[in-house]
Amino acid sequence: MMRKNSSLIGVLACCVIIAACSIVTGNRTAEQWLELLQAGVVAEDNFRFSGTVVMGFEDGLALTPFAFNGEIEEHKQIALHAEQSSSLVHNPVNEIEFIAQHYKEAEITHNGLDEAHASNIVVLQVQVDEKAATERWKELLKQELSNVGLEALTSAKEQNKHLALVQQEIDRSQRELEEMLNKLNVEMQVELTIDPSRIVPLQMNENITMKYVKDGMDIHEFRKSNIKFDLSPDEVVR
């Protein structure tokens, strides 16, 4: 039985897909696939996602990779588990919307049979606008530091220990982050694998490079993530 969309936004998104499909004939461009994908993933009520992240520096030092998984129900993230705290893993629906709205260049690198699964796929290579990517990561990093600081202060108050020292460390971290963000530049490339029959994502690979200055030194940091989507789960469990 076909699962019905349970919200107005899902119905509207489906209408967008139908209208776009009726207008676009023949071979779609990469830009058209991005527009359709954005509408398609918003229309999905319930799905699971899982993936891995590796972070490190271009001088060869890499941190231990970690895994994560989560669930979306009625377009809202209801569960997220990551093996590493401060993972900066978020709702992938928001991620795809950001990419579709702020891409600089997009091209189709594969459109046809995926021999491993005996089905057709479309693969897009997307370069996100550097200014938009930089501003987004500035906000993400500020918010993450704010969250960590709040947790540390709350714990110190509950234990009635080292409150002044914790506040000093938070202030120092904020000054250090502001220094790094002043000259931050983020480059973001994304590979999206799409199911062309349903116009939904199957996989998303992100390659992010962050360039900044710390203690007078130029630092190049990378973050690579791979997300796989399960858009037909038997059930979504809270």
Side-chain angles (χ1 to χ4, degrees):
M1 178 181 294
M2 183 179 296
R3 176 170 51 80
K4 296 181 179 179
N5 289 295
S6 60
S7 68
L8 178 60
I9 191 171
V11 174
L12 292 176
C14 285
C15 292
V16 171
I17 295 173
I18 293 171
C21 289
S22 65
I23 294 172
V24 180
T25 58
N27 293 327
R28 297 186 178 100
T29 65
E31 291 77 9
Q32 289 166 340
W33 277 116
L34 276 175
E35 292 174 5
L36 292 172
L37 179 63
Q38 180 183 356
V41 74
V42 170
E44 290 292 328
D45 286 335
N46 305 322
F47 64 89
R48 294 189 178 105
F49 59 92
S50 60
T52 57
V53 173
V54 61
M55 299 182 291
F57 301 89
E58 290 191 353
D59 62 6
L61 177 63
L63 306 179
T64 302
F66 65 89
F68 61 88
N69 60 77
E71 299 172 356
I72 303 293
E73 182 176 305
E74 296 182 359
H75 314 291
K76 296 180 180 180
Q77 184 170 289
I78 63 169
L80 175 64
H81 171 73
E83 293 179 350
Q84 176 176 306
S85 60
S86 303
S87 62
L88 291 169
V89 176
H90 301 285
N91 186 331
V93 174
N94 298 338
E95 193 77 0
I96 289 175
E97 286 189 296
F98 173 79
I99 293 165
Q101 294 170 8
H102 296 95
Y103 69 89
K104 181 179 179 181
E105 297 178 2
E107 65 172 326
I108 299 171
T109 57
H110 181 85
N111 188 351
L113 182 65
D114 173 21
E115 295 182 356
H117 300 91
S119 59
N120 289 329
I121 59 171
V122 172
V123 180
L124 304 180
Q125 289 286 349
V126 184
Q127 181 177 348
V128 178
D129 178 77
E130 288 184 15
K131 183 177 180 180
T134 299
E135 290 303 315
R136 184 168 187 263
W137 273 93
K138 281 184 177 181
E139 293 304 315
L140 289 174
L141 291 166
K142 287 179 181 179
Q143 185 61 55
E144 185 65 22
L145 179 58
S146 177
N147 293 341
V148 172
L150 181 60
E151 290 177 4
L153 278 176
T154 300
S155 177
K157 288 178 180 178
E158 290 176 348
Q159 299 178 29
N160 196 25
K161 292 181 179 179
H162 312 301
L163 184 59
L165 290 176
V166 170
Q167 185 62 62
Q168 289 177 12
E169 180 63 22
I170 291 173
D171 293 341
R172 184 198 64 79
S173 298
Q174 288 177 336
R175 290 193 299 270
E176 185 176 282
L177 179 62
E178 286 298 329
E179 178 188 355
M180 294 162 61
L181 295 183
N182 281 337
K183 295 186 178 180
L184 177 67
N185 183 68
V186 177
E187 298 176 1
M188 182 175 179
Q189 288 80 37
V190 184
E191 181 184 80
L192 286 162
T193 302
I194 303 169
D195 178 344
S197 62
R198 297 178 58 195
I199 315 183
V200 292
L202 299 174
Q203 184 167 298
M204 177 168 64
N205 297 327
E206 288 185 326
N207 189 352
I208 296 171
T209 301
M210 300 183 184
K211 301 177 182 178
Y212 55 90
V213 176
K214 183 177 181 181
D215 298 328
M217 297 181 60
D218 292 331
I219 307 294
H220 291 186
E221 184 176 341
F222 69 82
R223 174 188 171 92
K224 298 180 181 180
S225 62
N226 169 273
I227 300 177
K228 294 183 179 180
F229 297 84
D230 178 6
L231 291 142
S232 302
D234 295 331
E235 60 179 339
V236 177
V237 181
R238 292 186 182 276

